[in-house]
Structures are given as C-alpha cells and as structure tokens.
Amino acid sequence: MKPNRIFIIFITGLLGFTTSCTDVSPEIYTDVELVDYYKTESQFASLIANAYSQLAGEYGYVYREGYWSLQEYTSDEVVVPTRGTDWFDNGVPQKMHTHTWEVDTRDINNGWSFAYGGSSKCNDVLAKIRDLKGTDESQYDDITKAGIAEAKVLRAFYHLLAMDVYGNATIDDGEQEIKQHSRTEIFNWIEKEIKDNLPNLNRKVRYGSVSAPVAHTILAKLYLNAEVYTGAARWQDAANECDSVIDGGYGYGLNDNYFTAFKKENTDNKEIIFAIVFDEKYAKGNMFHVMTLHYTQQEVYGFTTPTWNGPCTLKSFYEKYSDVDLRKTQWFVGPIQKDGKTLKYSNAALTDVDAIIVPEVTTIEDPTAANTFEGARFVKFEVEPRIEHHANSDFPIYRYADILLMKAEALMRLNGGVANTEALNLVNQVHSGSRTGLPPYSAAELTLPELLIERGRELAWEGHRRQDQIRFGTFTSGGWEFMSPGESPNRTIFPIPQWVMDANPGVYTQNNWQ
C-alpha cells in the first residue's frame, strides 16, 4: 500500500475513524465527544475524505464514459474506433469524437452526475462539521476553519468542471433552491468562494488534497478561460495566480524525467500539484492500461484481466511529436513482443498475423475488426505487470508544467500573441532539456498555435485538451481525422441532460448547444 495516502472507500458514514492499511473497522470512542475529537488536521482529513471520493472510482474524473471522455473523446488527441462489436457502445464514442452527440447521450448524463455528485458530497461534509462544531463560524478554531475552507474550495472545483462543460447550469451549495445560473454567475460564485476561503486554507502541501497552492491553480485555470466563460479576458489575473504557485515557496518543480510524475509510486512528487489518489485495491479507477492496450498485450504484461483494445490517439496527433522528443514514448507503436518474439493474432478478419500497432486509424467504425492494430496506444502511466483492472499510478489533475505553460500563454496574450523573454523561458523549461531531449524554442518559433501543440504534447490525455482547443479557437474547426470542419460553434458546450430537465420542470432552459 502507498504511504501517506488518504484512502476514501471506507470513510463514508464513519465518524471517529482512522485510516489503516490493515484494519478497516471503525474505532469506538466511548469517552470522547465527537465535538472534541475533530481537532487535528488528520482527524479532519478523515472527515473530508468522502468529498474526494467522487474523483476516484469507475465513475470518477477519468471515467471513460463521463467527465474525462467529454474533455478527451471530443478532441484531436483521442479516438475510440470500433473493432468489430467492441467499443460501439450504441455509437457514443463515435458521437463524441465527431461532435454529433445528443441531449441524452450517455457520457453527457454521467458528466453531470459526477460534477454535482462531488459538490453534494462537499455539502455533506460541511453539514457534518456544523453538526459537530455548531453554526457560529466565528467560534471555530483555526483547524475547523481550514476544514471548512478545504471543503468549500473543493466544492468550487467541482462547479468549475460543471460550468466548463455545461455553461448555464446550477449552483449547488446545499442552501439555495435549485435554479439555473448563467455561466458568468457561476464563474463569479466560484471566484468568490475560492478567494473568500484562501486565507483559511492550509498553506502546507498535502498530497492529493486541496491546500493553498491548489486553490491558486484552480483560480489560474478559471482566469485562463475567463474570456470563454464570460466574454471578458483575465490574462493578468491568470498570470498572477500562476506566480502565487511559482513564488509561493511550496517546493514545486519539474522532474528531470518526464515520466516520473506517472510512476506507480509518486507520493509527494514535486511536479504534482493536485492528484487523484489511486490504488489497485483501496482506491480504484485508473484503468488506462486496460482501456488502450491491444488484446495480445495482456500476455506481454501478464495482466490477470483481459485488455480492451480501445481508445488510442490519432496519427495527426502522434506526428506532432518529433522523433527525438522523449515524450513521444508515451505512445506505443510497433511490434507487440514477448521474449523478443512478435506475437501472433487472429480474429474474424485476420489469421495468424504479426501483432504490430500502427499510428494510422483508417476508420472510426469497422465491423470486421480488421483495424485491430490501428492507433498509437497510451502508455504514459507506468504499466505494471500482473495487475488486474486498476492501476496504482495517481492521476495528476494539475501539474507544475501546466502552471509554467499557463503563465507563458497569459503573457503572450497580453503581448499580442508574441512570446517575450519571460514567456519563452517558461515554455522552454517544459519543452527542452533532459526531460524531452529537445532544443529550446526561439522567439520566432514560439507562436500561439505552436503553444497549443506543445500543451498537447506535454499534457496529453490529462483532461485539458477540449478546454485548450476551445480557448485557442480550434475545437469546432475540424481538420483532424473523422472531424469535419464547420461544426456549430455552439458545440463548445454540452446540453443539460434530459433527465435533469425532466426532474426539475420549469427550472432549466436548455443550453444552445446545437
């Protein structure tokens, strides 16, 4: 088991519980009042852990049929071709990639449930704190105030995810009635919630938890996309929030090896600002190895469960990497070998052929499964032999590399799209040197279009691509495989799920998403 983790699956509903690797039964406190118990950071961590539980699990942040698929399947860096009957899923992955989703499309339904399920769990935590400590917040001790602030900022984060994908949605603070708010109103509420609670947040970096640097990073993301969300750019504010992380003395930095942040053991990794804590037994949900690897690769790694031969990247995205870019090896192409020999594979369309993965995806739907080897496979996270469905590698929602790239972009936007010396230095910290094997950019090379490409190379499949493409104006323009140009600009948001509309008659007006 990984050290220093808060495992969240056995927290729900248990008070007076201390996390343990071996004993998951609740301890009984017969001589201590609960109001006296929750007085330390670790005790509050056990209380708030359930609010983080929404991020993990099969329906969490990286769920292949929910929030992550909204951000990635719709972009130029992920495609899910059918291979025979596998991955058809009533056409949902194909609808997401071709921007032909509908109001009741599965992933859109799941995304809403994920985001607002998270805010609801935060509300439950806040209600429990008030039950234990009373409703007069002026009487709270500093640790209680920090716990309240952590839950509220995490709740604001869940709202940012909802507002980003659904636009005009709702504010679920556990107090006000359900009503539809404009994107700008939700933006302003998120901003206020974070800024009001930042003074009470713990400044100490706690892996996998919301502390002050995480709050600054959430604000940086909010401001970076402010023009999309509200129509008013906030580039300087975005740069300032990045500075709060860079100059905050938190100890963040880039790893010398790009892949260090994606190892199975990466607690307290200096590059990770906010991570989803995964564990193959205690906190499941990281299934990239099962999702993307070819069927024959189960034999290569000795997995105890079959691989699914699903999501891959597009040839056009794979070719954005120089052959000398060390980050290109986050994609697997070439012969699938075991003990130095290329494995053979047969299906209905192929007989005893060499198993060789190729970058080109020729079709998004193939009933014969002749396309079984098409598409570079995602292997950024350490692939552990002999595991089951779930991996141990944590998922970095926010990394220090992104902070550097965000600040550089903000500076370039403020400078008419031109990279000044500071922006160039920030990007080259990420782009060049031992972590990539690449030479630095020159000022002439670092344009805004190139920065979008660089963000893709650095942050592939980390849940940022749709958002980035919208901000750079390429999301609806097409130009990549299976995505025709000229799609409606309204496809930059998703419809409010029909089940939400039906459950709240007269509350919501459907977004203009078609």
Side-chain angles (χ1 to χ4, degrees):
M1 182 174 178
K2 298 177 181 179
N4 302 320
R5 300 301 185 93
I6 301 170
F7 289 103
I8 41 89
I9 60 170
F10 28 77
I11 299 299
T12 309
L14 298 180
L15 295 178
F17 178 78
T18 54
T19 55
S20 167
C21 296
T22 56
D23 181 5
V24 299
S25 59
E27 295 185 31
I28 306 300
Y29 292 88
T30 56
D31 298 321
V32 180
E33 295 288 338
L34 289 176
V35 68
D36 294 324
Y37 177 65
Y38 285 100
K39 288 186 173 180
T40 69
E41 290 178 14
S42 61
Q43 290 165 352
F44 264 99
S46 70
L47 177 61
I48 199 174
N50 190 49
Y52 290 98
S53 70
Q54 193 77 358
L55 295 171
E58 288 206 28
Y59 286 87
Y61 188 89
V62 295
Y63 183 46
R64 64 191 177 277
E65 298 175 4
Y67 176 78
W68 183 83
S69 74
L70 298 183
Q71 296 289 4
E72 294 291 353
Y73 286 4
T74 58
S75 76
D76 66 351
E77 67 181 24
V78 181
V79 68
V80 189
T82 66
R83 308 182 196 273
T85 58
D86 290 351
W87 291 97
F88 178 68
D89 292 356
N90 292 316
V92 171
Q94 293 75 41
K95 289 177 182 178
M96 300 309 294
H97 188 76
T98 58
H99 295 193
T100 55
W101 54 77
E102 298 163 347
V103 70
D104 59 350
T105 297
R106 176 199 64 198
D107 298 15
I108 295 170
N109 293 335
N110 291 339
W112 183 284
S113 297
F114 161 72
Y116 285 110
S119 67
S120 179
K121 288 183 177 181
C122 292
N123 290 335
D124 290 343
V125 168
L126 292 165
K128 182 60 64 179
I129 293 175
R130 295 187 188 102
D131 287 345
L132 294 171
K133 298 293 187 178
T135 58
D136 186 358
E137 295 190 15
S138 67
Q139 299 301 309
Y140 290 170
D141 56 75
D142 288 345
I143 290 176
T144 302
K145 290 178 181 178
I148 288 277
E150 182 177 351
K152 286 185 175 181
V153 173
L154 180 59
R155 184 177 64 184
F157 169 74
Y158 284 122
H159 278 79
L160 172 58
L161 303 183
M163 182 263 289
D164 177 71
V165 295
Y166 298 106
N168 301 334
T170 191
I171 295 173
D172 175 26
D173 63 359
E175 297 177 6
Q176 58 183 296
E177 65 177 348
I178 298 174
K179 61 176 290 188
Q180 188 170 25
H181 293 268
S182 71
R183 216 178 197 186
T184 298
E185 288 172 333
I186 300 172
F187 179 101
N188 292 337
W189 181 86
I190 294 168
E191 179 185 27
K192 187 176 187 303
E193 279 285 287
I194 297 175
K195 294 178 79 170
D196 285 352
N197 286 283
L198 248 170
N200 290 327
L201 273 178
N202 199 325
R203 283 186 51 81
K204 182 173 64 176
V205 173
R206 291 185 295 119
Y207 188 83
S209 299
V210 172
S211 55
V214 176
H216 286 298
T217 305
I218 298 170
L219 281 174
K221 278 289 181 186
L222 184 72
Y223 293 141
L224 193 74
N225 295 283
E227 191 168 21
V228 173
Y229 298 149
T230 71
R234 301 282 292 273
W235 305 119
Q236 188 60 60
D237 289 332
N240 293 344
E241 294 301 329
C242 291
D243 281 339
S244 294
V245 178
I246 295 169
D247 302 327
Y250 300 112
Y252 295 119
L254 295 176
N255 297 311
D256 293 334
N257 185 323
Y258 172 75
F259 293 96
T260 299
F262 310 101
K263 296 291 187 182
K264 66 178 181 180
E265 296 289 349
N266 53 11
T267 305
D268 300 328
N269 186 292
K270 68 179 181 178
E271 191 169 321
I272 297 177
I273 296 172
F274 186 35
I276 305 171
V277 177
F278 283 119
D279 182 272
E280 63 176 315
K281 293 181 179 179
Y282 300 103
K284 299 179 179 182
N286 184 340
M287 303 176 68
F288 286 113
H289 65 295
V290 174
M291 290 163 52
T292 189
L293 293 179
H294 189 266
Y295 309 117
T296 58
Q297 288 175 293
Q298 178 189 3
E299 179 181 350
V300 175
Y301 292 103
F303 296 142
T304 60
T305 188
T307 43
W308 299 346
N309 195 31
C312 56
T313 199
L314 298 155
K315 182 181 180 183
S316 60
F317 190 83
Y318 178 73
E319 290 180 343
K320 295 182 189 299
Y321 294 81
S322 162
D323 286 343
V324 298
D325 189 338
L326 299 176
R327 298 171 300 183
K328 193 171 188 176
T329 59
Q330 68 188 284
W331 308 106
F332 178 87
V333 296
I336 299 172
Q337 295 185 327
K338 183 180 180 182
D339 300 326
K341 296 181 179 179
T342 299
L343 298 181
K344 298 288 186 178
Y345 178 73
S346 299
N347 64 16
L350 307 168
T351 302
D352 204 29
V353 298
D354 285 343
I356 302 174
I357 300 295
V358 298
E360 185 175 10
V361 181
T362 60
T363 177
I364 202 168
E365 186 173 346
D366 184 357
T368 72
N371 65 346
T372 186
F373 299 119
E374 293 183 355
R377 308 309 166 88
F378 182 69
V379 290
K380 175 153 60 176
F381 291 96
E382 181 177 358
V383 181
E384 303 172 69
R386 296 176 296 281
I387 58 174
E388 298 182 359
H389 276 84
H390 303 277
N392 288 299
S393 300
D394 301 335
F395 184 89
I397 295 175
Y398 296 135
R399 285 196 289 124
Y400 188 68
D402 195 10
I403 286 288
L404 300 179
L405 294 176
M406 285 196 291
K407 183 181 179 185
E409 181 184 340
L411 294 177
M412 291 175 68
R413 302 279 190 183
L414 290 167
N415 196 38
V418 177
N420 60 17
T421 301
E422 184 179 6
L424 186 64
N425 175 62
L426 289 165
V427 175
N428 277 331
Q429 289 180 56
V430 175
H431 171 77
S432 62
S434 62
R435 71 190 303 275
T436 65
L438 296 171
Y441 282 120
S442 68
E445 291 170 327
L446 184 56
T447 61
L448 282 174
E450 178 61 26
L451 181 59
L452 174 62
I453 294 172
E454 178 63 14
R455 285 188 60 83
R457 287 186 288 241
E458 176 67 25
L459 302 169
W461 286 37
E462 293 182 42
H464 304 287
R465 192 59 176 175
R466 167 189 159 276
Q467 191 180 89
D468 287 350
Q469 285 194 275
I470 291 172
R471 192 173 64 254
F472 280 82
T474 67
F475 185 69
T476 60
S477 62
W480 61 91
E481 297 94 316
F482 316 113
M483 173 57 186
S484 301
E487 288 290 336
S488 167
N490 297 328
R491 290 274 165 168
T492 58
I493 59 172
F494 297 99
I496 296 171
Q498 189 61 50
W499 67 267
V500 175
M501 303 276 290
D502 294 342
N504 301 277
V507 171
Y508 294 100
T509 299
Q510 184 58 272
N511 292 327
N512 184 16
W513 59 277
Q514 294 178 307

